[in-house]
Amino acid sequence: MTDRTLAALGFADVPAIRPLTYPGRPVTAPALLAGGELWELTPGPGGPGGWPVPGAPFDPPGEPLDAVLARLGHVPSGQRHPVIAVGSNASPAQLHHKLTALGHPAAVPMVPVRVRGIAVGCSAHIGRYGYVAAAPYADPAAETPLVVSWLDGDQLASVDATEFPNYRRVLLPGASFPMVLPSGEPLGGAYLYVSVRGVLAGPDGAPDRPSGRPRPGGGDQGALLAGLLASSARLRDLLGPDPRAWIRRAAADRTVREAAASVLAAEGWVLRGYDPLSTLA
């Protein structure tokens, strides 16, 4: 039998434990996170609840997702909430860590989708583990591969607790931001966590001059932190000289994280007005 554990499949890194691995490795194919394992889903007509789970260790093999969830004692997909991940929530290892740390089972369908009108930037704050987390922003020209997880009510409340107060959860309408499942079918809408702190501006070629456009997020965390340190003497004094020092100092002290966020604002790097729902007003 194939070893379906997260570690065996290459999903061992948990950004909450190893912050420089943020945002972690996302799923790239439909899957059911079941405890510490990842079982493939086979897309087909209709919603994910009817998609076969050929990797589930049950007889008969290839039962539909909702039947497998029932076997595991969990609610079906239709009673769950689709939530778009732009950062580490797309990583099954991080999601497993978040849910089990709060005492909830990690049984979650996770499906790559393409979302139009949303791009990934960097939230203008420092997270509790020391990294600079991703944040979505509105970009009409963007079509971005993201991951949707179907969470039950308790799981959603648990993930909310890990995102607040720096993010707020909004309902992103599929009519305004088209979302396409791997089956080619549209998703009518999904929740999305948007930063209440704004997003970071990117450099325009000069290290100390922001461009007025969002800085890309979700990539190599070490490179991101190194770039920010190189662009600000105040950040180097507070968190330098390198990304490892940044993580160590920021994770250890909330006041240091808050001071660093103030430096980001003082450098003129915080952009407002990119909240996806503000574009619908």
Side-chain angles (χ1 to χ4, degrees):
M1 179 178 290
T2 302
D3 188 343
R4 306 301 300 175
T5 61
L6 295 178
L9 296 175
F11 294 96
D13 286 334
V14 178
I17 298 172
R18 299 184 60 201
L20 285 176
T21 68
Y22 182 90
R25 182 184 171 193
V27 297
T28 56
L32 172 62
L33 173 63
E37 296 186 332
L38 204 62
W39 302 341
E40 64 180 298
L41 290 171
T42 303
W51 294 358
V53 191
F58 301 128
D59 189 23
E63 286 187 307
L65 171 63
D66 282 349
V68 171
L69 289 170
R71 278 181 176 268
L72 297 173
H74 303 299
V75 300
S77 58
Q79 297 178 31
R80 292 170 174 260
H81 311 276
V83 182
I84 299 172
V86 299
S88 65
N89 289 338
S91 161
Q94 180 86 328
L95 192 56
H96 178 270
H97 177 83
K98 284 187 175 186
L99 293 175
T100 56
L102 294 171
H104 297 295
V108 182
M110 304 181 71
V111 178
V113 298
R114 297 198 70 83
V115 182
R116 192 179 306 163
I118 297 294
V120 180
C122 303
S123 182
H125 80 285
I126 314 299
R128 72 190 75 181
Y129 301 114
Y131 49 64
V132 175
Y137 66 91
D139 181 348
E143 186 176 39
T144 306
L146 298 171
V147 172
V148 171
S149 295
W150 273 260
L151 304 177
D152 67 27
D154 289 339
Q155 291 169 339
L156 182 63
S158 295
V159 175
D160 279 352
T162 69
E163 302 295 333
F164 297 162
N166 296 305
Y167 295 84
R168 65 187 181 95
R169 176 164 50 84
V170 302
L171 184 60
L172 199 68
S176 301
F177 298 90
M179 310 168 196
V180 181
L181 296 166
S183 61
E185 296 176 296
L187 183 62
Y191 286 117
L192 178 72
Y193 292 100
V194 298
S195 177
V196 302
R197 304 292 199 98
V199 295
L200 292 181
D204 68 352
D208 59 349
R209 190 166 65 239
S211 69
R213 288 286 301 166
R215 178 186 290 264
D220 184 297
Q221 181 71 191
L224 170 62
L225 300 187
L228 293 172
L229 288 168
S231 300
S232 171
R234 284 177 284 190
L235 280 180
R236 290 195 297 276
D237 289 342
L238 184 63
L239 294 172
D242 55 39
R244 291 187 180 277
W246 173 310
I247 292 294
R248 183 177 64 253
R249 294 180 181 183
D253 192 334
R254 178 179 177 179
T255 60
V256 170
R257 296 194 296 271
E258 293 173 346
S262 296
V263 171
L264 297 176
E267 295 284 9
W269 294 346
V270 179
L271 300 178
R272 303 286 184 177
Y274 282 88
D275 185 321
L277 292 195
S278 69
T279 64
L280 303 181

